[in-house]
Amino acid sequence: MKLKKALLAGAALVAALGTPAQASILDNPHFRVLGLVIVWSGDASGDPIVSDFVIGTGSGGDDLIAADGRAVVTGQLQQTPTSLAGASTFDVTSPGSAPNFQDNGTAGVLDAADTFDAFTLTPSTDVSAPGAELKSSFFVASNTPFNILADADVNTATGDFTLASVGFAMSHTNDDPAQTNFGDDANASVGANEAGFDDLGDFETEATIFTGTVRTADTPGTIMDQSVRFDVTYTLGGAAGYDLSMGAGEIDADVTYTVFVP
């Protein structure tokens, strides 16, 4: 009888030890990082400058910098002038004898002060417009995919030229041996150009020309290191270049590129 009581007491002690008092602590880590797109180029002194700082708080995001930037000369950080001017001279290709052109008047412009030597024609002799290709660039760093819109507005259009007379092409890169201060920590490809845009006439109504698929930032680094450069080429006459059948005239336009978080 005494042994039975002892066993019962031991069982009661084990039961008490098996159900300790309980206390709960609640923790709630919460991080939020908005989509961010930084657009930069250069200023009039050739110094890098950020002109757009877009955070993705809604459709398209919000640009925290009111001013707009200017593109730079490709391969440099020198801001493009208010008007990019292509050469107005002509080149005679495949002549039977050298035309020996003398640019005596306004440099880069074919005018009455200039002279040619007589030259012979061959079945392949033609006329081209060297310098009728203009290139410019801007840089983008992002933590999210982004899209780019383009809109072209005519300033001057005379003679036979319209926005459709100016060919358009755009590419992007994170590697240029001649300009080493960008792209070391950026993705090589961040998206693709939309098809069907060949000249500025396609942008008389604003259109999406680039659709991003990944962020520019690939590995840890600075804004410059995580940037890609977008290169734009404008060519009078498009890929084929100028031809006499295009006629004569003048075309001057403003093209606005808007980078946004879709």
Side-chain angles (χ1 to χ4, degrees):
M1 186 68 176
K2 290 182 180 180
L3 178 60
K4 183 177 180 180
K5 287 182 179 180
L7 290 174
L8 289 175
L13 177 61
V14 170
L17 293 175
T19 56
Q22 295 185 0
S24 298
I25 298 177
L26 178 64
D27 215 354
N28 181 219
H30 178 194
F31 303 97
R32 184 187 183 200
V33 177
L34 298 172
L36 174 63
V37 180
I38 299 170
V39 183
W40 60 280
S41 54
D43 62 14
S45 300
D47 297 319
I49 184 171
V50 174
S51 56
D52 291 288
F53 199 92
V54 181
I55 56 174
T57 58
S59 179
D62 294 299
D63 188 0
L64 305 186
I65 300 177
D68 293 326
R70 287 200 64 81
V72 293
V73 178
T74 298
Q76 305 177 24
L77 286 181
Q78 188 63 50
Q79 190 178 80
T80 58
T82 303
S83 178
L84 290 172
S88 299
T89 55
F90 290 101
D91 186 27
V92 178
T93 60
S94 301
S97 60
N100 191 27
F101 171 64
Q102 299 293 318
D103 190 2
N104 300 318
T106 302
V109 176
L110 190 67
D111 52 38
D114 301 331
T115 62
F116 285 96
D117 286 345
F119 60 93
T120 56
L121 291 176
T122 74
S124 301
T125 303
D126 205 351
V127 173
S128 64
E133 182 178 272
L134 303 170
K135 295 185 178 182
S136 57
S137 303
F138 58 90
F139 298 82
V140 179
S142 77
N143 68 352
T144 186
F146 57 90
N147 294 353
I148 302 177
L149 298 171
D151 181 56
D153 297 303
V154 173
N155 294 323
T156 302
T158 64
D160 301 303
F161 294 163
T162 66
L163 286 175
S165 303
V166 182
F168 164 87
M170 187 172 73
S171 61
H172 68 275
T173 182
N174 72 333
D175 183 24
D176 181 355
Q179 190 176 36
T180 58
N181 58 344
F182 79 98
D184 289 345
D185 296 305
N187 282 302
S189 179
V190 295
N193 294 349
E194 294 294 330
F197 299 112
D198 302 313
D199 59 67
L200 294 189
D202 297 326
F203 310 138
E204 291 189 76
T205 299
E206 188 177 58
T208 300
I209 60 170
F210 176 84
T211 300
T213 54
V214 298
R215 59 184 177 268
T216 70
D218 182 33
T219 54
T222 66
I223 292 174
M224 285 189 177
D225 290 337
Q226 295 174 339
S227 294
V228 298
R229 190 184 71 196
F230 282 83
D231 300 326
V232 183
T233 302
Y234 310 99
T235 308
L236 183 62
Y242 173 80
D243 184 85
L244 295 179
S245 62
M246 292 180 61
E250 181 180 2
I251 179 71
D252 179 86
D254 286 332
V255 185
T256 302
Y257 297 100
T258 302
V259 183
F260 66 98
V261 180

